[in-house]
């Protein structure tokens, strides 16, 4: 059995999107020849919500080490709140101890807390252990360079320059890459030509049916984050918002407005709920969806809650919706990491994506919903209105091709990860 050391600053029970790949893969690694050990930041040093159910399906024999982090109260005085920067030195110290005491075949970074990735090069040199990086998001990105200052993330000037300087440290020594998007790999291969000769593969997040079974068994534990009023039809989106989703939201709302104008009696019974749209600490998120609804004169039909909700409550919310919408970015590299719960919820599904988005292709392959392209506004407004009418009238049902969807199960995608690990190890022996 080969030994895998996983670096995931956020891990169960912390409710963070970037730990879901590991959480869903850990139950299957041993089956495919890899014994996993996880190193996370102790949850008391994070400011994210926790959900104890996230740990329910993690095998009891999986070792989980916890590292400390500098206090955010201290580092925020210098404008640094990132868990990656606060834990970087302590990660180095803790993993040094682990690697001195135990032999590992591979180090696997699966996180969007990118600064910790530079430790891969250090541990490779010190302990002769190869490492693989899982690119769930772009690291150094120029997406916001031509955007107005108001649309850029907080502290963009600092973070973009930090990313520009740190990314090469990790990429100039990495031994293999996994990514949720081919576009991410294409960007990195162009930027660092050495990567072209390394094992790399696009592997999306996995779908975990067990999570839905758990929610259905424990429904009494959850409450809906919105009021489900009888006589109304409730469409739900659980996930982040942002200025890069304005085009998708505008399309959706234009289709809705057309329906209001044409069939007010029906469409006035529709309500949109956007939940967990900000990554900001509880109570501090800035709405990015309601301003669009306000400008379009439909705020009476739209609700936005910026505070994130626990993962399993999110599943419960999807299961209790009348229909679901997935809002995508105008960035072609974007892929929705939480796409599969929307499909597994078996509800009427409308999705809005860039035409080259991998998430759009998955929905089409599985026949799990209707996908609208951000590039075809003139052609899609009528169709959006029609699809909304079908949901309102109860004539729209889920018709997913489950045999096609099998390709995206957590177990199957863990197999692909392990295949790449094996290729990396084989390269070390040649």
């Amino acid at each position: 059995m080969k030994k895998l050391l996983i670096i995931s600053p956020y891990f169960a029970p912390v409710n963070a999107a970037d730990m879901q790949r590991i959480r869903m893969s850990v139950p299957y690694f041993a089956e495919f020849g890899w014994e996993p050990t996880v190193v996370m930041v102790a949850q008391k040093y994070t400011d994210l919500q926790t959900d104890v159910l996230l740990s329910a399906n993690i095998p009891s024999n999986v070792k989980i080490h916890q590292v400390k982090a500098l206090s955010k109260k201290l580092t925020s005085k210098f404008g640094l709140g990132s868990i990656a920067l606060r834990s970087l030195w302590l990660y180095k110290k803790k993993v040094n101890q682990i690697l001195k005491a135990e032999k590992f075949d591979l180090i696997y970074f699966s996180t969007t807390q990118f600064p910790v990735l530079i430790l891969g090069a250090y541990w490779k040199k010190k302990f002769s252990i190869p490492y693989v990086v899982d690119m769930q998001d772009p690291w150094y990105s120029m997406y916001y360079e031509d955007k107005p200052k108001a649309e850029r993330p907080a502290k963009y000037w600092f973070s973009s320059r930090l990313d520009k300087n740190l990314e090469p440290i990790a990429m100039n020594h990495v031994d293999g890459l996994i990514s949720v998007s081919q576009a991410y790999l294409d960007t990195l291969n162009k930027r660092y030509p050495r990567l072209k000769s390394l094992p790399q593969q696009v592997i999306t997040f996995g779908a975990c049916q067990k999570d839905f079974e758990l929610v259905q068994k424990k429904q009494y534990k959850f409450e809906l984050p919105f009021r489900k009023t009888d006589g109304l039809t409730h469409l739900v989106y659980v996930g982040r918002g942002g200025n890069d989703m304005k085009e998708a939201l505008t399309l959706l709302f234009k289709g809705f407005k057309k329906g209001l104008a044409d069939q007010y009696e029906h469409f006035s019974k529709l309500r949109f709920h956007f939940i967990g749209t900000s990554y900001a600490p509880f109570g501090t998120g800035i709405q990015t969806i309601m301003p669009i609804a306000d400008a379009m004169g439909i705020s009476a039909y739209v609700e936005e809650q910026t505070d994130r909700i626990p993962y399993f409550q999110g599943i419960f919310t999807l299961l209790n919706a009348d229909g679901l919408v997935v809002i995508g970015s105008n960035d072609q590299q974007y892929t929705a990491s939480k796409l599969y719960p929307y499909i597994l919820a078996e509800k009427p599904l409308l999705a809005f994506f860039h035409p080259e988005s991998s998430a759009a292709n998955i929905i089409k392959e599985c026949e799990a919903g209707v996908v609208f392209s951000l590039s075809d506004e003139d052609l899609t407004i009528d169709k959006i209105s029609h699809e909304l009418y079908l949901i309102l009238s109860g004539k729209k049902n889920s018709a997913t091709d489950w045999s096609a969807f099998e390709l995206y199960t957590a177990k199957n995608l863990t197999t692909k990860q392990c295949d790449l690990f094996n290729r990396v190890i084989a390269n070390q022996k040649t």
Side-chain angles (χ1 to χ4, degrees), residues 105-120:
D105 297 279
L106 186 69
I107 299 174
Y108 182 27
F109 291 88
S110 186
T111 179
T112 56
Q113 301 303 310
F114 294 115
V116 299
L117 271 59
I118 65 172
L119 293 173

Side-chain angles (χ1 to χ4, degrees), residues 88-270:
L88 188 63
W89 173 256
L90 295 153
Y91 247 117
K92 178 182 177 182
K93 183 178 179 181
K94 179 67 174 180
V95 174
N96 279 352
Q97 294 172 353
I98 294 171
L99 295 178
K100 287 177 181 177
E102 193 174 352
K103 177 176 171 52
F104 285 86
D105 297 279
L106 186 69
I107 299 174
Y108 182 27
F109 291 88
S110 186
T111 179
T112 56
Q113 301 303 310
F114 294 115
V116 299
L117 271 59
I118 65 172
L119 293 173
Y122 167 76
W123 289 324
K124 179 178 180 179
K125 182 177 181 180
K126 185 175 180 65
F127 297 99
S128 299
I129 302 175
Y131 66 98
V132 168
V133 167
D134 173 17
M135 296 299 297
Q136 300 181 21
D137 279 331
W139 186 349
Y140 171 56
S141 171
M142 301 182 69
Y143 173 80
Y144 290 101
E145 287 296 310
D146 60 351
K147 302 295 186 295
K149 186 175 181 180
E151 295 185 8
R152 294 178 179 180
K155 303 174 186 175
Y156 175 73
W157 184 92
F158 172 78
S159 61
S160 64
R161 281 150 184 80
L162 182 68
D163 293 345
K164 183 177 182 179
N165 285 283
L166 294 188
E167 186 184 83
I169 297 174
M171 292 302 145
N172 284 333
H173 301 277
V174 71
D175 299 282
L177 290 173
I178 289 171
S179 176
V180 297
S181 167
Q182 182 62 48
Y184 298 172
L185 294 179
D186 292 343
T187 297
L188 291 172
N189 286 325
K190 183 177 180 180
R191 200 174 285 165
Y192 310 99
R194 69 172 289 271
L195 299 179
K196 296 177 183 178
S197 63
L198 301 179
Q200 53 183 269
Q201 187 168 356
V202 174
I203 305 176
T204 62
F205 275 37
C208 192
Q209 180 64 43
K210 290 181 180 180
D211 290 346
F212 278 74
E213 294 169 0
L214 184 61
V215 170
Q216 288 164 341
K217 288 179 181 178
K218 298 181 179 291
Q219 292 193 44
Y220 61 91
K221 287 182 171 287
F222 307 104
E223 294 183 3
L224 281 177
F226 66 90
R227 179 180 295 178
K228 190 173 183 181
T229 305
D230 291 340
L232 299 180
T233 298
H234 301 271
L235 298 191
V236 169
Y237 168 76
V238 180
R240 78 164 180 88
N243 291 311
D244 60 323
M245 295 181 170
K246 183 176 180 179
E247 292 177 28
L249 289 160
T250 301
L251 261 186
L252 171 62
F253 291 158
K254 282 185 176 180
F256 172 64
K257 284 192 70 173
K258 185 179 189 307
L260 272 179
D262 294 344
Q263 302 179 72
Y264 177 82
E265 183 178 349
H266 286 292
F267 278 76
S268 63
K269 296 177 181 178
L270 194 58

Side-chain angles (χ1 to χ4, degrees), residues 16-21 24 112 136-137 180 184 204-207 237-240 279 308 311 326-327 334-342 353 358-359:
D18 68 343
M19 68 88 191
Q20 293 290 4
R21 182 185 313 267
M24 294 181 185
T112 56
Q136 300 181 21
D137 279 331
V180 297
Y184 298 172
T204 62
F205 275 37
Y237 168 76
V238 180
R240 78 164 180 88
Y279 290 120
R308 289 168 57 80
Y311 172 76
V326 182
I327 306 300
Y334 174 81
T335 182
S337 61
K338 290 187 177 180
L339 174 63
Y340 301 124
Y342 285 87
F353 286 111
S358 59

